[in-house]
Amino acid sequence: MEKIKFQLEDGTEAEFYVEEQTRIGGVAYLLVSDSQDDEATAYIFKDVVEDEDEMQAVFKVFEQMLDDVDLEM
């Protein structure tokens, strides 16, 4: 599984596993997790997702794409 690194606001680096990716309305989104364990924490990345309705819509798309994974928001 592909891993990506992000530099956090405090200057530290964090690594995430890319679980899935999609494009909605011309905008790319990544579903990533902090580990490959069953109890991993997942995040949706985009440049900035500020709108709660948008977050819910993208979450539902990833839920459908990963029907064998139990996602919680």
Side-chain angles (χ1 to χ4, degrees), residues 51-61 73:
D51 181 73
E52 185 64 28
D53 292 336
E54 179 183 15
M55 178 67 78
Q56 291 288 334
V58 173
F59 179 81
K60 288 178 183 179
V61 169
M73 186 174 238

Side-chain angles (χ1 to χ4, degrees), residues 21-32:
Q21 56 187 343
T22 192
R23 183 171 289 278
I24 302 170
V27 178
Y29 297 91
L30 294 176
L31 177 67
V32 301

Side-chain angles (χ1 to χ4, degrees), residues 18-65:
V18 178
E19 302 291 342
E20 193 58 81
Q21 56 187 343
T22 192
R23 183 171 289 278
I24 302 170
V27 178
Y29 297 91
L30 294 176
L31 177 67
V32 301
S33 63
D34 60 359
S35 75
Q36 292 184 309
D37 297 335
D38 288 341
E39 297 297 318
T41 300
Y43 303 92
I44 295 174
F45 287 161
K46 163 190 150 172
D47 286 339
V48 176
V49 179
E50 295 177 359
D51 181 73
E52 185 64 28
D53 292 336
E54 179 183 15
M55 178 67 78
Q56 291 288 334
V58 173
F59 179 81
K60 288 178 183 179
V61 169
F62 281 126
E63 237 179 357
Q64 292 173 355
M65 294 172 77

